[in-house]
Amino acid sequence: MFFTPYFKLALILGLLSAIGPFAIDMYLPALPAIGSTLGASVGAVQWTLTAFFLSLGAGQLLYGPISDMVGRKPPLYFGLGLFAVASVGCAMTSDVQTLVVLRFLQGLGAAAGMAIPRAVVRDLHTGTEAARIMSLLMLVFSVSPILAPLVGSGVIALTGWRGVFWAVTLASVAGLALVHGALNETRPPAQRLESSLGSALRSYGVLLRDGHFLGLVGIASTALAGFFVYLAGSPFVMIDHYGLSPTQYSLAFSVNAAAFFGAAQCTAWLGRRFGLVNVVKGAASASGVVMCLLLAYYLAGGDQLWVLIALYFVASGFMGLVIPTTSVLALEKHGAIAGTASALMGTLQMLGGAAAMGIVSLFANGKPLPMVVGMACGALTGVALTWITLGGAERAPLPTRVQG
C-alpha cells in the first residue's frame, strides 16, 4: 500500500495539511506556561487559538478561488512562506497581544495548506475513490494531533515554549520543498480559463444558495466546533484541574486523536457497504448520544478524568466517520469550482470552531463543565443538521468516478 499512487498523493497532501494544525497541537501543552510567562489570563491565552482559527478560516476564502485561477501550487508557496515568517515572529514575541496578531498571520498562511489539498483530491477523484483518498490523507494528517503534543512537550522541556515556533518554522520550510519537488499541478491552464474574481464571486453565490452543500458543511462544522472547544479547554482542565503533567496531557490528547483518525480509515469501506449518506447519519447520531452521556455525567456531579477520556474517545471515533464523508458529499457536485467550494467549506468550519471557542472562553474557569457543555452542544446541533439535510436522501452508495 505504501507505494501506491493513492498513498503517495495522500502522504504529500496530508503533510501539507498538517503543518498548520501542528502549530496548534505542539503548543497546547504550553498554554498554561505561556500565560504565566506573558502575564496573561486563561481567556487571553485562548485568544491565541481563536485568532489562529479565525484567519485559518477566512484565509481559505482567498486561497480557494485563487487556486482555481492560477493553479494549486502558487498559493501554496505564498501561504507556507507567510506561515514561516509569522512563526519566527511568534518565537520572538514578548506580550500576549502581539502573539495574538502574529498567530492571526500564521493562520492566514496555514489556510493554504487546508483549502488546497481537498481541491487537489477533487481534481482527481470523486465518490468512494475520493473517500478513500480523503481517509488516507487523514491518516497522514493524524500525525499532528497524535504526535505533535508529545513532540511539543519534549521541545518545551528542552527549549521552553518559544522553541515550538522555531520547530514549526522548519516544518514550513520542509513543506515548501515538498510542494516544489513532489507535488504535481492538478489544475492545468485550460481549466483556469473561465476562472476569475467575478466567477469566484458567482461561485460563492451558487454555493451559498445550495442548501444541501451548506447542510453538509454545517454537519462537519458542528463536529469540529466541539473538537475546538476541547482543544482550547483541555490543557487547562487536564493540567490545572486534574493535575496531569504536559507529557501526560499529550498522551491523553493523543488517545482521542487516534480514535478519530483510526475510525476515518473505515469511511470508504463503510461507504461502499452502506452508502456514504447512511454512514453520516449513523455516526453523527451515535456521537450525539455519547456526548449526551458525558454531559449528564458532569451535570450529575461526576468528576473523573477517565470518564472524560473514555467517552470522548468513543465520540471522537464517530466524528472520524462524519467529517471526511461530509467533505466528499459536499464537493461531489461542484468539481468545476472545487477550490472555491473547498475554501468555503473550510472557512465555515474554522469560523464555526472559532466562534464556539470564543463563546465557551467567556465561561471558562479551568473546570470541565463549561468545556463539556460546549462539546455536547456541537454534537447535538450536528445531529439535528444531519437529519434535516440527509433525512430524505437517497440511501444507495455513491458511484465511483475517477478523473484524470
Side-chain angles (χ1 to χ4, degrees):
M1 182 186 74
F2 292 97
F3 299 100
T4 66
Y6 284 112
F7 189 81
K8 179 182 177 183
L9 178 64
L11 178 64
I12 295 169
L13 298 180
L15 291 174
L16 292 174
S17 299
I19 288 173
F22 214 77
I24 302 167
D25 301 327
M26 270 192 76
Y27 96 135
L28 286 178
L31 288 182
I34 291 173
S36 177
T37 301
L38 301 181
S41 66
V42 170
V45 175
Q46 286 183 341
W47 266 103
T48 65
L49 280 172
T50 302
F52 187 94
F53 281 115
L54 284 171
S55 60
L56 188 65
Q60 294 182 58
L61 289 175
L62 300 175
Y63 289 115
I66 289 173
S67 75
D68 284 340
M69 287 186 277
V70 304
R72 308 304 186 198
K73 294 182 69 169
L76 283 171
Y77 287 129
F78 175 83
L80 290 170
L82 177 61
F83 180 90
V85 172
S87 297
V88 172
C90 288
M92 301 175 67
T93 190
S94 59
D95 61 87
V96 73
Q97 292 82 9
T98 303
L99 182 60
V100 169
V101 173
L102 289 169
R103 289 287 284 171
F104 182 89
L105 293 175
Q106 196 184 40
L108 193 62
M114 297 297 292
I116 295 173
R118 285 192 300 262
V120 171
V121 172
R122 182 55 186 83
D123 287 341
L124 301 174
H125 304 284
T126 61
T128 53
E129 288 299 320
R132 180 184 176 192
I133 292 287
M134 201 74 74
S135 62
L136 283 171
L137 187 154
M138 295 191 72
L139 178 63
V140 178
F141 182 83
S142 67
V143 70
S144 174
I146 292 176
L147 295 182
L150 293 171
V151 174
S153 62
V155 170
I156 292 161
L158 292 173
T159 66
W161 62 265
R162 298 179 190 276
V164 168
F165 293 107
W166 291 115
V168 297
T169 300
L170 294 177
S172 61
V173 172
L176 285 168
L178 192 63
V179 172
H180 177 72
L183 183 66
N184 295 324
E185 179 60 66
T186 60
R187 180 80 170 178
Q191 295 180 10
R192 307 173 200 165
L193 296 177
E194 297 183 1
S195 298
S196 64
L197 180 60
S199 67
L201 293 175
R202 289 191 296 273
S203 297
Y204 279 130
V206 169
L207 293 168
L208 290 171
R209 292 191 298 272
D210 185 342
H212 188 70
F213 173 85
L214 293 177
L216 288 163
V217 171
I219 295 165
S221 297
T222 53
L224 283 170
F227 172 70
F228 290 159
V229 169
Y230 177 76
L231 197 73
S234 59
F236 300 98
V237 169
M238 293 189 180
I239 295 174
D240 292 341
H241 179 71
Y242 286 117
L244 298 186
S245 69
T247 300
Q248 289 171 328
Y249 163 73
S250 300
L251 289 170
F253 187 88
S254 299
V255 166
N256 295 124
F260 181 98
F261 293 105
Q265 301 315 298
C266 300
T267 53
W269 178 79
L270 290 171
R272 286 190 294 268
R273 185 176 177 87
F274 301 106
L276 296 181
V277 167
N278 288 335
V279 171
V280 176
K281 288 181 184 178
S285 300
S287 179
V289 170
V290 175
M291 289 309 303
C292 282
L293 292 174
L294 183 60
L295 177 59
Y297 172 77
Y298 277 100
L299 288 174
D303 194 17
Q304 295 293 317
L305 176 60
W306 73 267
V307 175
L308 172 61
I309 293 175
L311 289 181
Y312 195 56
F313 176 88
V314 177
S316 295
F318 287 121
M319 286 192 297
L321 298 175
V322 169
I323 293 173
T325 308
T326 52
S327 297
V328 171
L329 290 169
L331 294 177
E332 184 71 18
K333 297 180 180 179
H334 296 291
I337 52 170
T340 302
S342 176
L344 183 59
M345 179 192 310
T347 294
L348 294 176
Q349 290 174 354
M350 293 299 112
L351 294 183
M357 284 193 300
I359 293 170
V360 175
S361 70
L362 298 175
F363 305 95
N365 56 8
K367 297 185 182 301
L369 186 58
M371 179 184 76
V372 172
V373 169
M375 293 158 61
C377 287
L380 292 176
T381 304
V383 173
L385 284 174
T386 296
W387 290 93
I388 290 170
T389 305
L390 300 175
E394 184 178 343
R395 303 179 65 86
L398 284 170
T400 299
R401 297 193 303 274
V402 181
Q403 297 177 345

